[in-house]
């Protein structure tokens, strides 16, 4: 797949099934993430691969986070079942150095770029995914479970697998006019 075609036709897929990326495919995805823009060559990210029994452990962690946050039964159930929407999840944590000349916000953006690059690498290899966030990325319970330091930020959960639904072949070409100004 041509890189420009991939980027201008990007879509997330929320219904994902086996197989998930593995072996060289997964390594390509991780390598793509590590090529994200990175001012200061800090590599301000850590990737947690969650699959198989790891989804059970992640489910329990998210459930604990939802309970600690005082969510209602519906919210707790959503947290508990979320990890089973895809055969693999890559949780991405921005590992930030607060006292570095590169600002924390820029380190977080770099980790966010890593998520985008990983999703594009997955699509280029015939997989797809969806980048999810939500209140549980701020949960002290979930942050502790993902070994977050004081200045670290969970930038998202990248759900990966094989799309269950065939994407529409028609893409609405966005009108860039309202989003662009000449300076």
């Amino acid at each position: 797949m041509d890189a420009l075609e991939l980027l201008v036709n990007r879509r997330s897929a929320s219904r994902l099934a086996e197989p998930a990326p593995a072996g060289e495919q997964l390594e390509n995805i991780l390598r793509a993430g590590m090529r994200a823009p990175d001012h200061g060559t800090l590599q301000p990210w850590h990737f947690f691969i969650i699959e198989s029994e790891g989804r059970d452990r992640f489910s329990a962690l998210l459930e604990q986070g939802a309970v600690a946050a005082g969510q209602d039964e519906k919210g707790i159930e959503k947290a508990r079942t979320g990890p089973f929407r895809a055969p693999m999840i890559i949780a991405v944590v921005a590992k930030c150095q607060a006292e570095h000349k590169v600002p924390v916000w820029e380190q977080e953006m770099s980790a966010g770029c890593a998520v985008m690059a990983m999703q594009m690498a997955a699509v280029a290899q015939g997989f797809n995914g969806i980048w999810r966030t939500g209140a549980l990325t701020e949960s002290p319970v979930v942050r502790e479970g993902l070994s977050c330091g004081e200045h670290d930020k969970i930038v998202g959960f990248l759900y990966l697998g094989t799309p269950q639904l065939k994407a529409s072949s028609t893409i609405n070409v966005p009108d860039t006019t309202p989003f662009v100004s000449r300076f």
Side-chain angles (χ1 to χ4, degrees), residues 1 6 21-22 24-30 118-128:
M1 176 179 286
L6 173 70
E24 188 67 23
Q25 296 162 329
L26 180 55
E27 281 300 310
N28 287 336
I29 289 167
L30 297 170
M118 289 190 293
Q119 185 177 11
M120 296 302 87
V123 172
Q125 298 178 99
F127 299 98
N128 205 327

Side-chain angles (χ1 to χ4, degrees), residues 8-148:
V8 299
N9 293 300
R10 188 210 72 75
R11 288 188 178 185
S12 294
S14 59
R15 294 192 180 186
L16 302 160
E18 294 282 353
E24 188 67 23
Q25 296 162 329
L26 180 55
E27 281 300 310
N28 287 336
I29 289 167
L30 297 170
R31 286 183 195 119
M34 294 191 66
R35 295 300 306 150
D38 177 15
H39 183 192
T41 318
L42 297 177
Q43 297 182 310
W45 45 66
H46 190 86
F47 310 132
F48 291 87
I49 298 172
I50 303 164
E51 59 186 337
S52 304
E53 299 83 30
R55 292 187 307 163
D56 295 322
R57 290 187 296 278
F58 192 53
S59 169
L61 178 64
L62 294 179
E63 179 180 10
Q64 291 168 8
V67 168
Q71 291 189 16
D72 62 16
E73 255 326 295
K74 185 177 178 182
I76 293 168
E77 179 65 18
K78 183 177 178 183
R80 180 180 22 244
T81 59
F84 303 103
R85 290 182 245 186
M88 174 183 285
I89 304 160
I90 301 177
V92 180
V93 175
K95 303 298 279 184
C96 299
Q97 299 177 37
E99 301 305 320
H100 198 277
K101 70 176 184 174
V102 176
V104 167
W105 69 264
E106 194 172 332
Q107 296 173 55
E108 292 171 355
M109 294 287 283
S110 183
C113 287
V115 178
M116 175 73 172
M118 289 190 293
Q119 185 177 11
M120 296 302 87
V123 172
Q125 298 178 99
F127 299 98
N128 205 327
I130 187 166
W131 180 356
R132 294 188 182 269
T133 57
L136 291 176
T137 61
E138 300 291 333
S139 161
V141 172
V142 177
R143 287 177 47 77
E144 182 180 327
L146 295 178
S147 305
C148 290

Side-chain angles (χ1 to χ4, degrees), residues 141-161:
V141 172
V142 177
R143 287 177 47 77
E144 182 180 327
L146 295 178
S147 305
C148 290
E150 178 184 355
H151 301 288
D152 297 346
K153 183 166 191 71
I154 300 170
V155 296
F157 307 118
L158 180 59
Y159 288 71
L160 294 173

